[in-house]
Amino acid sequence: MGAHVADMNPTHIFNDSWPPHAKFHTGQTLSMSLLLALLTIVFAWRKTSDQREAVLATAGFAAAYWVTQAIAISYPNTAFYDPEFLTAHSFTLGLPVQAYFEIGFLSIITVASWLALRKSAHWSN
């Protein structure tokens, strides 16, 4: 849902200077975020005898969006911001705003997974 809030605005999907194919890929990314969220919920709450596998699958689905966002800048001719939306506040401590979300959510996923695996190991003993 956060991706929709961030991308359904004049800087992305309603940006008149973006070509239709760029908007297509934004739509693809937004749809992927919803599918990954659904898979995260399903794997987190399903009944299974293999809790370790469930935790790892859940963490993978939850992290996939954030990992792919983090590495997207490595493709040719990409930028964190389009020039018309670049401001003096676009980078905090040298990082784009997206980086703080990536670091934050990946940290939460890591801690939650560690706690779940620890709890699972405790109950299996």
Side-chain angles (χ1 to χ4, degrees), residues 24-89:
F24 167 84
H25 283 290
T26 300
Q28 177 186 14
T29 301
L30 294 175
S31 298
M32 180 183 67
S33 74
L34 291 175
L35 178 60
L36 289 170
L38 178 64
L39 289 169
T40 299
I41 292 166
V42 167
F43 272 77
W45 291 99
R46 74 185 179 115
K47 300 285 185 204
T48 181
S49 60
D50 190 346
Q51 288 298 317
R52 179 174 159 68
E53 180 182 298
V55 169
L56 294 176
T58 300
F61 291 131
Y65 179 83
W66 300 107
V67 170
T68 58
Q69 179 175 289
I71 62 176
I73 195 67
S74 66
Y75 286 86
N77 302 314
T78 58
F80 289 111
Y81 301 98
D82 286 323
E84 67 267 26
F85 299 106
L86 193 60
T87 70
H89 303 290

Side-chain angles (χ1 to χ4, degrees), residues 6-24 26 81-86:
D7 289 356
M8 297 295 286
N9 62 54
T11 66
H12 285 71
I13 205 75
F14 298 117
N15 185 340
D16 291 335
S17 67
W18 274 25
H21 192 68
K23 292 180 183 187
F24 167 84
T26 300
Y81 301 98
D82 286 323
E84 67 267 26
F85 299 106
L86 193 60

